Coordinates of all heavy atoms in Angstrom, one line a residue:
L177 N 33.9 -107.7 196.0 CA 34.5 -108.6 197.0 C 35.9 -108.1 197.3 O 36.7 -108.0 196.5 CB 34.5 -110.0 196.5 CG 35.3 -111.0 197.3 CD1 34.7 -111.2 198.8 CD2 35.4 -112.3 196.7
Q178 N 36.1 -107.8 198.6 CA 37.5 -107.5 199.1 C 38.0 -108.7 200.0 O 37.3 -109.1 200.9 CB 37.5 -106.2 200.0 CG 38.7 -105.9 200.7 CD 38.6 -104.7 201.5 OE1 38.2 -103.7 201.1 NE2 39.0 -104.8 202.9
L179 N 39.2 -109.1 199.6 CA 39.9 -110.1 200.5 C 40.9 -109.4 201.3 O 41.8 -108.7 200.7 CB 40.6 -111.2 199.6 CG 39.6 -112.2 198.8 CD1 40.4 -113.2 198.1 CD2 38.6 -112.8 199.7
D180 N 41.0 -109.6 202.6 CA 41.9 -109.0 203.5 C 43.1 -110.0 203.6 O 42.9 -111.1 204.1 CB 41.3 -108.7 204.9 CG 40.3 -107.5 204.7 OD1 40.6 -106.5 204.0 OD2 39.2 -107.7 205.3
E181 N 44.3 -109.6 203.2 CA 45.4 -110.4 203.2 C 46.7 -109.8 203.9 O 47.8 -109.6 203.3 CB 45.9 -110.9 201.8 CG 45.0 -112.0 201.2 CD 45.3 -113.4 201.9 OE1 46.1 -113.5 202.8 OE2 44.7 -114.4 201.4
P182 N 46.6 -109.4 205.2 CA 47.7 -108.7 205.9 C 48.9 -109.6 206.1 O 50.0 -109.0 206.2 CB 47.1 -108.3 207.2 CG 46.0 -109.3 207.4 CD 45.3 -109.5 206.0
S183 N 48.7 -110.9 206.0 CA 49.8 -111.9 206.3 C 50.5 -112.3 204.9 O 51.3 -113.2 205.0 CB 49.4 -113.0 207.1 OG 48.8 -112.6 208.2
L184 N 50.0 -111.8 203.8 CA 50.4 -112.4 202.5 C 51.9 -112.4 202.3 O 52.6 -113.4 201.9 CB 49.7 -111.7 201.4 CG 49.9 -112.3 200.0 CD1 49.5 -113.8 200.0 CD2 49.1 -111.6 199.0
T185 N 52.6 -111.2 202.5 CA 54.0 -111.2 202.3 C 54.8 -112.1 203.3 O 55.7 -112.8 202.9 CB 54.5 -109.7 202.5 OG1 53.8 -108.9 201.4 CG2 56.0 -109.6 202.3
A186 N 54.3 -112.2 204.5 CA 54.9 -113.1 205.5 C 54.8 -114.5 205.1 O 55.7 -115.3 205.3 CB 54.3 -112.9 206.9
V187 N 53.7 -114.9 204.5 CA 53.5 -116.2 204.0 C 54.4 -116.5 202.8 O 55.1 -117.6 202.8 CB 52.0 -116.4 203.6 CG1 51.9 -117.7 202.7 CG2 51.1 -116.4 204.7
L188 N 54.6 -115.5 201.9 CA 55.5 -115.8 200.8 C 57.0 -115.8 201.2 O 57.7 -116.5 200.5 CB 55.3 -114.6 199.8 CG 54.0 -114.6 199.1 CD1 53.7 -113.2 198.4 CD2 54.0 -115.7 197.9
R189 N 57.3 -115.1 202.3 CA 58.7 -115.0 202.6 C 59.1 -115.9 203.8 O 60.2 -115.8 204.4 CB 59.1 -113.6 202.9 CG 58.8 -112.7 201.7 CD 59.5 -111.4 201.7 NE 59.3 -110.7 200.4 CZ 59.9 -109.6 200.1 NH1 60.8 -109.1 201.0 NH2 59.7 -109.0 199.0
G190 N 58.2 -116.8 204.3 CA 58.5 -117.6 205.5 C 58.7 -116.9 206.7 O 59.5 -117.3 207.5
R191 N 57.9 -115.9 207.0 CA 58.0 -115.1 208.2 C 56.9 -115.4 209.2 O 56.9 -114.7 210.3 CB 58.0 -113.6 207.9 CG 59.1 -113.2 207.0 CD 59.0 -111.7 206.6 NE 60.1 -111.2 205.7 CZ 59.9 -110.1 205.0 NH1 58.8 -109.3 205.2 NH2 60.9 -109.7 204.2
V192 N 56.0 -116.3 208.9 CA 54.9 -116.6 209.9 C 55.4 -117.5 211.0 O 55.9 -118.6 210.7 CB 53.6 -117.3 209.2 CG1 52.6 -117.6 210.1 CG2 53.1 -116.3 208.1
R193 N 55.3 -117.0 212.3 CA 55.8 -117.8 213.3 C 54.9 -118.9 213.7 O 53.7 -118.9 213.6 CB 56.0 -116.9 214.6 CG 57.2 -115.9 214.3 CD 57.8 -115.3 215.6 NE 59.0 -114.6 215.3 CZ 60.3 -115.2 215.2 NH1 60.3 -116.5 215.3 NH2 61.2 -114.5 214.8
S194 N 55.6 -120.0 214.2 CA 54.9 -121.2 214.6 C 54.2 -121.0 216.0 O 54.4 -119.9 216.6 CB 55.8 -122.4 214.8 OG 56.7 -122.2 215.8
A195 N 53.4 -122.0 216.4 CA 52.7 -121.8 217.8 C 53.7 -121.5 218.9 O 53.4 -120.7 219.8 CB 51.8 -123.0 218.0
S196 N 54.9 -122.1 218.8 CA 55.8 -122.0 219.9 C 56.5 -120.6 219.9 O 57.0 -120.1 220.8 CB 56.9 -123.1 219.9 OG 57.7 -122.9 218.7
G197 N 56.6 -120.0 218.6 CA 57.2 -118.8 218.5 C 58.8 -119.0 218.2 O 59.4 -117.9 217.9
Y198 N 59.2 -120.2 218.3 CA 60.7 -120.3 218.1 C 61.1 -120.6 216.7 O 62.3 -120.7 216.4 CB 61.1 -121.5 219.0 CG 61.0 -121.3 220.5 CD1 60.2 -122.1 221.3 CD2 61.7 -120.2 221.0 CE1 60.0 -121.7 222.7 CE2 61.5 -119.9 222.4 CZ 60.8 -120.7 223.2 OH 60.6 -120.4 224.5
R199 N 60.2 -120.8 215.8 CA 60.5 -121.1 214.4 C 59.4 -120.4 213.5 O 58.4 -119.9 214.1 CB 60.7 -122.6 214.1 CG 59.3 -123.3 214.4 CD 59.5 -124.8 214.1 NE 58.2 -125.5 214.3 CZ 57.3 -125.8 213.4 NH1 57.4 -125.2 212.2 NH2 56.2 -126.4 213.7
T200 N 59.7 -120.4 212.2 CA 58.8 -120.0 211.3 C 58.3 -121.1 210.4 O 59.1 -122.1 210.1 CB 59.3 -118.8 210.5 OG1 60.5 -119.2 209.9 CG2 59.6 -117.6 211.4
Y201 N 57.1 -120.9 209.8 CA 56.7 -121.9 208.8 C 57.4 -121.7 207.5 O 57.7 -120.5 207.1 CB 55.2 -121.8 208.5 CG 54.4 -122.2 209.9 CD1 53.8 -121.2 210.6 CD2 54.3 -123.5 210.2 CE1 53.0 -121.5 211.7 CE2 53.7 -123.8 211.4 CZ 53.0 -122.8 212.1 OH 52.3 -123.1 213.3
R202 N 57.6 -122.7 206.7 CA 58.3 -122.6 205.4 C 57.5 -121.7 204.5 O 56.3 -121.7 204.5 CB 58.4 -124.0 204.8 CG 59.1 -124.1 203.5 CD 59.1 -125.5 203.0 NE 59.9 -126.4 203.9 CZ 60.1 -127.7 203.8 NH1 59.5 -128.3 202.8 NH2 60.7 -128.4 204.7
A203 N 58.2 -120.9 203.7 CA 57.6 -120.0 202.7 C 56.7 -120.9 201.7 O 57.1 -122.0 201.3 CB 58.6 -119.3 201.9
V204 N 55.6 -120.4 201.3 CA 54.7 -121.1 200.4 C 55.1 -120.6 199.0 O 55.3 -119.5 198.7 CB 53.2 -120.8 200.7 CG1 52.3 -121.5 199.7 CG2 52.9 -121.2 202.1
D205 N 55.1 -121.6 198.1 CA 55.4 -121.3 196.7 C 54.5 -120.2 196.1 O 53.3 -120.3 196.3 CB 55.3 -122.5 195.8 CG 55.7 -122.3 194.4 OD1 56.9 -122.4 194.1 OD2 54.9 -122.1 193.6
R206 N 55.1 -119.3 195.4 CA 54.3 -118.2 194.9 C 53.1 -118.6 193.9 O 52.1 -118.0 193.9 CB 55.2 -117.2 194.0 CG 56.2 -116.5 194.9 CD 57.1 -115.5 194.2 NE 56.4 -114.3 194.0 CZ 56.4 -113.2 194.9 NH1 57.1 -113.4 196.0 NH2 55.7 -112.1 194.6
Q207 N 53.4 -119.7 193.1 CA 52.4 -120.2 192.2 C 51.2 -120.8 193.0 O 50.0 -120.6 192.6 CB 52.9 -121.2 191.3 CG 53.9 -120.6 190.2 CD 54.3 -121.5 189.1 OE1 54.4 -122.7 189.4 NE2 54.5 -121.0 187.9
V208 N 51.5 -121.4 194.1 CA 50.5 -122.0 195.0 C 49.7 -120.9 195.6 O 48.4 -120.9 195.7 CB 51.1 -122.9 196.1 CG1 50.1 -123.3 197.1 CG2 51.8 -124.1 195.5
V209 N 50.3 -119.8 196.1 CA 49.7 -118.7 196.7 C 48.8 -118.0 195.7 O 47.6 -117.7 195.9 CB 50.7 -117.7 197.2 CG1 50.0 -116.4 197.6 CG2 51.5 -118.2 198.4
E210 N 49.3 -117.8 194.5 CA 48.5 -117.1 193.4 C 47.4 -118.0 193.0 O 46.3 -117.4 192.8 CB 49.5 -116.9 192.2 CG 48.8 -116.2 191.0 CD 49.8 -116.1 189.8 OE1 51.0 -115.9 190.0 OE2 49.3 -116.1 188.7
G211 N 47.5 -119.3 192.9 CA 46.4 -120.1 192.5 C 45.2 -120.1 193.4 O 44.1 -120.0 193.1
A212 N 45.5 -120.2 194.8 CA 44.5 -120.1 195.7 C 43.8 -118.8 195.7 O 42.6 -118.7 195.9 CB 45.1 -120.4 197.1
L213 N 44.5 -117.7 195.6 CA 43.9 -116.4 195.6 C 43.0 -116.3 194.3 O 41.8 -115.8 194.4 CB 44.9 -115.3 195.5 CG 45.6 -115.0 196.9 CD1 46.8 -114.0 196.6 CD2 44.6 -114.3 197.8
R214 N 43.5 -116.8 193.2 CA 42.7 -116.8 192.0 C 41.3 -117.5 192.2 O 40.3 -117.0 191.8 CB 43.4 -117.4 190.8 CG 42.7 -117.3 189.5 CD 43.5 -117.9 188.4 NE 44.7 -117.2 188.1 CZ 45.9 -117.6 188.4 NH1 46.1 -118.8 189.0 NH2 47.0 -116.9 188.2
D215 N 41.4 -118.7 192.8 CA 40.2 -119.5 192.9 C 39.2 -118.8 193.9 O 38.0 -118.9 193.7 CB 40.6 -120.9 193.5 CG 41.4 -121.8 192.6 OD1 41.3 -121.4 191.4 OD2 42.0 -122.7 193.0

Side-chain angles (χ1 to χ4, degrees):
L177 170 64
Q178 172 181 309
L179 296 182
D180 293 314
E181 281 285 8
S183 305
L184 188 56
T185 299
V187 168
L188 288 165
R189 302 200 174 187
R191 297 175 182 167
V192 178
R193 293 206 165 274
S194 65
S196 68
Y198 292 120
R199 61 182 179 86
T200 56
Y201 295 110
R202 181 178 300 176
V204 181
D205 182 86
R206 297 181 78 86
Q207 289 187 332
V208 173
V209 170
E210 182 182 322
L213 282 169
R214 183 181 296 109
D215 291 345

